[in-house]
Amino acid sequence: MPLDKVNSKVVKSILGPGQNVLARTGAMLYYTGNVRFIPHSTGGGPGSMPNVGAMAAMAGRMMSGEHTRMMAAEGQGEVFYGHAGLYVDVIELDGSSSLTVEADRLLVHDGYLQSSVVALTSQGGMRGAVRGAMTGQGLFTTQLHGQGSVAVLSHGGTIALPVGPQHPQVVVDPQAYVCHLGHIDVGISANVGWREAVGKGSGESIQLKLTGTGTVWVQASEQKF
């Protein structure tokens, strides 16, 4: 059940029996057919109860203002999604690796993809926390696993950059980072000189350093959501 781009800012999902999609609440623009919408709880399919770990992570995200409510759509018909006039890109997952993306970048994804909330401190300790502060992610991020489609939001569209043998290290501005797919390690690269120390630098003294194998998506802007 792939997501289809209608234009640069709208995607369409075609629903059939036994299928559903999950989208951020309020992202539905319009639909045709017999479609119903159900609030989605973290940690499972529509209406399921989250496990203890997911509940704790969700509570932490809500307290820090990082939680984005989701809504499941099911039935038969076509549902069209968009949000705030932002650009939309569709990423296909083949099940071989997970997509790491911040919740507020997620527009909609296939309901049979598994999602989990991950503390950035589990991805490098204090380095992960610094990464979250630099990108505006906070202390948590979202990972999606399985086979299916994911639509992500950006300012001005995205560029997909390969990370691997030909590009063993890709360095990204923290505000331009959108998401990454594959076996990628995200570190912090600091390049602080005297101009930054006196407040006359370029503002790009801290970057994200990505190594490993996969793809990173970068938006055509340094504007936060």
Side-chain angles (χ1 to χ4, degrees):
M1 186 180 55
L3 298 169
D4 295 323
K5 287 185 68 171
V6 177
N7 58 33
S8 61
K9 300 181 180 182
V10 178
V11 294
K12 175 181 69 174
S13 175
I14 302 175
L15 295 175
Q19 299 175 328
N20 66 75
V21 293
L22 295 173
R24 59 186 299 147
T25 299
M28 190 276 291
L29 300 176
Y30 65 97
Y31 68 90
T32 62
N34 183 20
V35 179
R36 55 190 175 276
F37 298 90
I38 306 168
H40 174 70
S41 57
T42 302
S48 68
M49 290 295 293
N51 58 37
V52 174
M55 289 179 68
M58 182 174 67
R61 294 191 76 145
M62 292 180 71
M63 286 189 292
S64 61
E66 300 172 38
H67 179 63
T68 301
R69 294 183 300 160
M70 304 291 282
M71 187 74 69
E74 58 184 36
Q76 289 185 278
E78 296 182 347
V79 189
F80 296 77
Y81 294 99
H83 179 67
L86 294 168
Y87 282 76
V88 181
D89 285 284
V90 175
I91 299 171
E92 299 294 339
L93 305 187
D94 62 9
S96 63
S97 56
S98 61
L99 178 73
T100 299
V101 58
E102 176 57 8
D104 64 2
R105 296 281 186 174
L106 274 176
L107 176 65
V108 57
H109 64 82
D110 289 338
Y112 42 74
L113 288 175
Q114 295 179 327
S115 66
S116 57
V117 177
V118 179
L120 286 176
T121 51
S122 69
Q123 300 179 340
M126 184 56 66
R127 184 186 64 177
V130 172
R131 165 191 155 196
M134 292 298 99
T135 60
Q137 288 178 297
L139 295 177
F140 301 92
T141 191
T142 300
Q143 287 188 339
L144 295 171
H145 319 261
Q147 292 180 300
S149 301
V150 182
V152 298
L153 298 166
S154 69
H155 284 288
T158 63
I159 302 169
L161 303 174
V163 182
Q166 301 301 317
H167 303 90
Q169 176 176 293
V170 176
V171 181
V172 175
D173 184 284
Q175 308 307 325
Y177 168 85
V178 174
C179 60
H180 69 266
L181 174 67
H183 305 287
I184 290 178
D185 180 65
V186 182
I188 300 296
S189 175
N191 182 20
V192 181
W194 71 270
R195 293 183 65 84
E196 282 74 22
V198 298
K200 295 183 179 181
S202 66
E204 297 179 347
S205 57
I206 303 294
Q207 300 103 25
L208 299 182
K209 181 173 63 176
L210 296 98
T211 57
T213 304
T215 305
V216 57
W217 280 263
V218 179
Q219 71 175 12
S221 168
E222 295 180 347
Q223 185 176 352
K224 290 184 179 182
F225 280 15

